[in-house]
Amino acid sequence: MPALAPAAISPRRAVPASIPRPEYVDRPAPTPFEGSEVKDAETIERMRAACRLAAQARDLVGSHVAPGITTDELDRIGHEFLCDHGAYPSTLGYRGFPKSLCSSVNEVVCHGIPDARVVEDGDIVNIDITAFLDGVHGDTNATFLAGDVDEESRLLVERTREALDRAIKAVQPGRRINVVGRVIEAYARRFGYGVVREFTGHGIGTSFHSGLVVPHYDDPRFDDEIRVGMTFTIEPMLNLGTHEWEMWDDGWTAVTRDGRRSAQFEHTLLVTPTGAEVLTLP
């Protein structure tokens, strides 16, 4: 298939004035997070609601991924669903991002901007959507198949989902956060996939991205202890070829350097005494 190219981006969608905005909207950057990565019970309950809504939005938008739709139309569907449920789309106005979700097609690793490009038969499309509700964020993404997808791409998508599932099972209080990347990289290596390094999972709660970094490759430098009550995302990006990527001129769209396809899945998790609870389920 021909390489992706930027297409026209529609005007920014309006959010009802009654919906509270995150503090960073239309500012150059968010206020640095200084709180604890361990959340109290009240914050966790609010996160359950935000994460559930984000998961419902992810699945709704994903159900519309099909040949003939534009990624801008997918953005409209996600935007209206979140606003109709009193949530703000966390990406809209985050460090200048112009849309309410990220749509990453084929060789786009992450942070694709929804635009006028039409989804084609055989595409794979990642939908990354975050809900800001009652002062907290819920963040999730999944890769969907459009029409008749080739076996190599289909396997990449299945195995990326499996890599996330394996990483979630590895989360245990007392372990170090780098166990996540160790598990993902060991699994991806079986198939010769590249594991993207520079985009990571992150702490999340009242802040969209707190200071906690969750790498998807094995890196002993990231040795934060996993503690009960932590909330963070795991969101591996696996590539058919090299792990290396380059950035479009828009400053957001990361594409694989060799033009081969990339898949991604993401959940927001809560660390429990016995492991990890997935919060981003519908």
Side-chain angles (χ1 to χ4, degrees), residues 12-94:
R12 178 166 164 170
R13 293 188 161 87
V15 176
S18 59
I19 295 177
R21 273 75 168 148
E23 55 82 23
Y24 55 71
V25 172
D26 293 330
R27 296 177 54 215
T31 301
F33 178 73
E34 296 179 343
S36 172
E37 298 291 352
V38 173
K39 310 304 190 296
D40 60 36
E42 186 267 343
T43 302
I44 289 168
E45 285 311 304
R46 286 188 286 140
M47 287 190 68
R48 286 187 199 282
C51 286
R52 189 179 310 116
L53 190 66
Q56 291 167 352
R58 173 200 67 213
D59 290 357
L60 173 66
V61 176
S63 73
H64 286 82
V65 170
I69 198 167
T70 64
T71 52
D72 185 65
E73 176 68 5
L74 295 172
D75 180 79
R76 183 193 65 77
I77 292 166
H79 177 93
E80 291 183 358
F81 178 84
L82 290 181
C83 292
D84 286 349
H85 289 81
Y88 186 91
S90 299
T91 60
L92 188 64
Y94 177 79

Side-chain angles (χ1 to χ4, degrees), residues 161-216:
R161 184 191 289 113
E162 174 68 15
L164 173 58
D165 289 345
R166 288 173 180 238
I168 291 169
K169 289 185 177 75
V171 173
Q172 293 285 343
R175 288 182 172 175
R176 300 292 165 175
I177 202 73
N178 53 34
V179 70
V180 168
R182 194 172 312 127
V183 166
I184 291 168
E185 191 167 50
Y187 180 69
R189 194 182 295 124
R190 291 192 204 174
F191 312 105
Y193 295 154
V195 181
V196 176
R197 295 170 168 239
E198 292 81 3
F199 301 103
T200 69
H202 52 89
I204 186 169
T206 55
S207 176
F208 192 178
H209 300 90
S210 71
L212 181 68
V213 174
V214 185
H216 304 119

